[in-house]
Amino acid sequence: MAQPLDIILAFHNAFRNDMQRIDRAARDTARGKTGLSQEIERFRFFNEILVWHANGEEQAIFPEVEKVAPLVAEAYERDHRGLDAAFDALNSAVTARDLLETSRTSAAFKFHLDIHLGKEDAHLYRIMRERIPIPEQARAVGIMSKAVPQERFPEAIAWLFSLINLDDQENVMLIWQMAMMPEVFSQVKLLVQKATGDGWADLVRRVPTLE
């Protein structure tokens, strides 16, 4: 059964998949392949989403963890600052059109991101699942979602649903359907339908109430 924190883990999977694409494009470009500049440029919007996500965690998730596991969240906040620095290094390399440095900084960004997300999945969110009641989890996820600027929500949905598998899509839709007012969910459903394209039919088969 889908639980509120599954939305966050779906975002984590999207971050992994997008960063893998960006890093592969940077590496292939450094090896002489052409035509991948737009794929590399994805890192700018990727980082916007990552910053919204990190800010939401710091505002909503970390305070809840602090209540039941003091001092744990501090290390994850330091990871966030490290990701900020990784973005700055990659941005500088891309701006300078230094292909080798772009590949190096992209690989470093990916490594740090993968380690950070893996720790959060195995440790931070395990603490949330085991020690924080589901109503408080849902409240924290709701607060976290507000870190995304409302006018950018359609872009965030399009980004997310293009990068996650059907299992994650199903979990996200089930949670949103439970949490959102019907009129809001109707609008979100249209955005997801557009983002998933031909995959919408598969999602409806998983979640028949979407019809």
Side-chain angles (χ1 to χ4, degrees):
M1 181 177 176
Q3 296 183 0
L5 296 181
D6 289 336
I7 288 184
I8 297 176
L9 301 186
F11 268 89
H12 285 187
N13 288 334
F15 286 130
R16 290 184 181 98
N17 291 335
D18 207 16
M19 192 66 229
Q20 184 177 41
R21 289 174 57 177
I22 293 164
D23 184 53
R24 184 187 301 118
R27 182 190 63 222
D28 289 348
T29 298
R31 289 174 173 172
K33 191 171 182 178
T34 60
L36 295 174
S37 59
Q38 287 188 331
E39 195 77 351
I40 296 171
E41 284 289 335
R42 291 176 63 89
F43 86 94
R44 301 188 190 278
F45 184 64
F46 164 90
N47 195 69
E48 283 192 88
I49 299 277
L50 185 61
V51 168
W52 297 336
H53 183 84
N55 288 344
E57 285 182 328
E58 291 171 18
Q59 293 164 12
I61 301 299
F62 291 1
E64 292 297 325
V65 171
E66 186 68 17
K67 294 176 186 177
V68 297
L71 305 180
V72 165
E74 180 182 351
Y76 291 94
E77 187 169 353
R78 291 189 181 192
D79 277 358
H80 288 174
R81 304 292 77 78
L83 289 167
D84 291 340
F87 167 77
D88 289 341
L90 177 56
N91 185 51
S92 294
V94 173
T95 300
R97 299 183 179 180
D98 186 327
L99 302 185
L100 179 58
E101 191 64 15
T102 294
S103 181
R104 291 180 70 252
T105 54
S106 173
F109 197 164
K110 180 180 182 300
F111 179 80
H112 185 33
L113 179 74
D114 286 345
I115 293 292
H116 171 67
L117 296 179
K119 289 193 303 182
E120 285 195 335
D121 290 354
H123 182 229
L124 186 77
Y125 286 103
R126 179 180 173 185
I127 291 173
M128 283 286 291
R129 287 185 189 277
E130 294 181 358
R131 302 187 188 182
I132 304 293
I134 286 183
E136 279 77 8
Q137 293 179 25
R139 184 186 64 82
V141 171
I143 293 171
M144 186 175 175
S145 69
K146 294 177 182 177
V148 180
Q150 187 173 1
E151 69 277 9
R152 306 292 299 280
F153 202 63
E155 294 175 77
I157 288 177
W159 175 86
L160 175 65
F161 277 81
S162 71
L163 290 162
I164 57 176
N165 64 24
L166 191 56
D167 289 339
D168 279 342
Q169 291 178 359
E170 178 184 358
N171 285 339
V172 171
M173 293 304 286
L174 287 171
I175 296 162
W176 280 348
Q177 193 170 36
M178 289 186 292
M180 292 178 174
M181 297 293 290
E183 59 272 20
V184 175
F185 183 72
S186 294
Q187 295 301 312
V188 168
K189 186 170 69 172
L190 293 175
L191 294 171
V192 173
Q193 185 174 3
K194 181 179 179 181
T196 52
D198 293 339
W200 175 251
D202 293 329
L203 185 53
V204 170
R205 279 192 285 273
R206 289 283 194 97
V207 188
T209 53
L210 293 178
E211 287 202 77

